[in-house]
Amino acid sequence: MSKTIASKTIAILAPGAMGSAIARRLSENGARVLTSLKGRSEATLKRAADAGMVGADDDAIAAADIILSIVPPGEAVALAERLAALIVRRQNKPIVVDCNAVNVDTVQRIEEIIGSAQAPFVDAGIIGFPPQPGGKSPAFYMSGEYAKDVAVLRDFGLDVRIVEGPVGAASALKMSYAGIVKGLAGIGSAMVVAATKAGAADALRDELALSQPAILARLEIALPDMIPKAYRWVAEMREISGFLGPDHPASQIYEGLARWFEHLAEDAKGEAIDAELMKTFAASIARKTS
């Protein structure tokens, strides 16, 4: 069922911040990149156009050589069901790559959905930021029987790394990595807010500067960065909780972080009290170290 990529047509769903940045990298390196723009906002239409993405109907999406699913984790299963319905009757099947931050059980469910349409499936986890022009690509860790069939994406500027193992291996890596990096950022932000409200922000900053300078440097970047992303991290934390399993003592840590990020997302829409406290703390780090 593997296929040779000849037409270099890649569909990316959807054209969000990561998807459009990946599309730009692919199109700059000679790929034709399609996406679905039906019902999308003017801002999304402009972002897609700037990235070199071509709006296409469902039939054209299904006819692509590779389909990359890059959506918030809570939307991954629904998109898989939509894709399976599009490609089930096609003789030539695209390779479907799930690049979302989902746990092993979820990605195996997605594999079953795509498999019901007799299409090859690859499990992928993206680690890193959306690529900037001239910058490096985030790492695309890929696993499963067909992972090597999409290694051709290296020719189009992506950093593809094969994880030896079945579908689920790449997602397990993504869950573990995100659980550490975003988990530490979540815990740090919660303690910064608590310390600030208790009048200990400066003391906390100064002690971290003395004993944990690497953590303080990380918080300077992470605190303002997580505020606009908090809504996307809610489902990801719940996927990580599911990755650990309901009987794992630490699973509730990530359920708690999901609730914290949910709060930050709502806070940013309203009075933004906690969000402003985080920004103020980050700014004080910059002032102290400049």
Side-chain angles (χ1 to χ4, degrees):
M1 196 179 291
S2 67
K3 57 195 294 184
T4 300
I5 307 303
S7 62
K8 305 175 185 177
T9 299
I10 301 163
I12 296 181
L13 303 173
M18 179 65 80
S20 60
I22 295 300
R24 182 183 294 108
R25 177 60 52 88
L26 293 170
S27 61
E28 286 174 348
N29 286 276
R32 180 169 180 257
V33 185
L34 308 180
T35 194
S36 176
L37 296 174
K38 184 177 180 181
R40 303 307 296 250
S41 68
E42 286 297 324
T44 300
L45 295 177
K46 183 179 186 306
R47 183 167 58 239
D50 290 346
M53 305 176 91
V54 178
D57 61 20
D58 286 351
D59 287 341
I61 296 290
D65 297 295
I66 299 174
I67 299 177
L68 302 180
S69 170
I70 307 178
V71 294
E75 300 174 17
V77 172
L79 178 56
E81 290 170 342
R82 177 189 165 197
L83 292 175
L86 293 181
I87 62 183
V88 66
R89 294 184 179 85
R90 295 193 61 83
Q91 182 175 357
N92 295 320
K93 310 286 187 179
I95 303 174
V96 177
V97 186
D98 184 276
C99 304
N100 303 306
V102 296
N103 70 44
V104 175
D105 288 345
T106 303
V107 82
Q108 288 174 345
R109 180 183 172 197
I110 292 171
E111 179 189 27
E112 291 176 1
I113 292 168
I114 298 301
S116 70
Q118 293 80 50
F121 178 77
V122 174
D123 172 26
I126 304 175
I127 293 180
F129 295 104
Q132 299 302 311
K136 67 178 183 178
S137 164
F140 279 74
Y141 288 94
M142 300 193 177
S143 69
E145 180 182 354
Y146 300 100
K148 290 178 180 166
D149 292 351
V150 291
V152 68
L153 292 173
R154 291 172 181 150
D155 297 339
F156 304 124
L158 298 191
D159 180 4
V160 176
R161 306 179 187 184
I162 305 299
V163 179
E164 295 299 333
V167 164
S171 285
L173 170 61
K174 171 66 176 178
M175 292 288 95
S176 302
Y177 182 89
I180 293 170
V181 174
K182 293 177 182 175
L184 289 173
I187 291 168
S189 64
M191 290 300 100
V192 162
V193 169
T196 302
K197 289 179 177 178
D202 289 348
L204 175 63
R205 181 200 61 218
D206 293 346
E207 177 54 38
L208 287 171
L210 287 171
S211 62
Q212 303 291 337
I215 292 177
L216 189 66
R218 177 69 181 169
L219 288 175
E220 181 182 355
I221 298 169
L223 291 175
D225 181 64
M226 74 173 65
I227 295 166
K229 298 176 180 177
Y231 77 98
R232 298 207 316 256
W233 291 7
V234 175
E236 187 169 353
M237 292 302 106
R238 293 200 165 112
E239 289 291 331
I240 295 170
S241 179
F243 171 60
L244 289 170
D247 297 330
H248 195 292
S251 66
Q252 288 304 306
I253 294 173
Y254 292 94
E255 179 58 36
L257 286 172
R259 292 170 58 196
W260 171 236
F261 290 133
E262 204 165 40
H263 163 77
L264 285 179
E266 289 300 315
D267 179 66
K269 294 178 185 176
E271 297 180 0
I273 296 171
D274 288 349
E276 286 304 317
L277 294 179
M278 289 161 55
K279 291 177 183 177
T280 299
F281 188 89
S284 78
I285 299 170
R287 286 195 303 271
K288 195 76 173 179
T289 57
S290 63

